[in-house]
Amino acid sequence: MNPNYKKVFNNTTQYRGILTPDGTVRAANDTILGFTGSDREQVIGTKLWEVPGVRFSERTQDQVHADVRKAAKGEFVKHELAIEGAERTAIIDFSLQPLTDESG
């Protein structure tokens, strides 16, 4: 990751990550790692709805999985979501923004 991009990515109060179209976490910022109590190695390569340290209800897991499928089809997803981290529960403004390259 570019050093300047890494500083911006990690220097925020927002939980940020980068996913593959199937929901696999490719990058996670320090803020979300702190909230979940997870190490980067535990999170990278894991499906978003199975991230260690986030105890989603089965309903929330299903919602996040469905949201990832929508985003993979190019749809912007945004809604409030309750997540339980290592020490507390939070209501977050959850969004998925599809990104494409030259080939779509």
Side-chain angles (χ1 to χ4, degrees), residues 10-69:
N10 281 317
N11 191 16
T12 181
T13 58
Q14 297 174 330
Y15 304 148
R16 296 204 174 190
I18 298 173
L19 310 174
T20 62
D22 71 351
T24 302
V25 178
R26 299 281 303 185
N29 73 356
D30 293 342
T31 307
I32 191 63
L33 294 173
F35 176 76
T36 63
S38 302
D39 293 326
R40 196 169 311 282
E41 296 77 27
Q42 293 175 292
V43 174
I44 304 304
T46 303
K47 301 294 186 197
L48 178 60
W49 53 91
E50 297 173 349
V51 169
V54 178
R55 291 174 294 282
F56 290 123
S57 69
E58 187 174 333
R59 180 177 175 208
T60 301
Q61 277 186 311
D62 292 345
Q63 177 67 54
V64 171
H65 196 177
D67 291 341
V68 167
R69 286 192 303 267

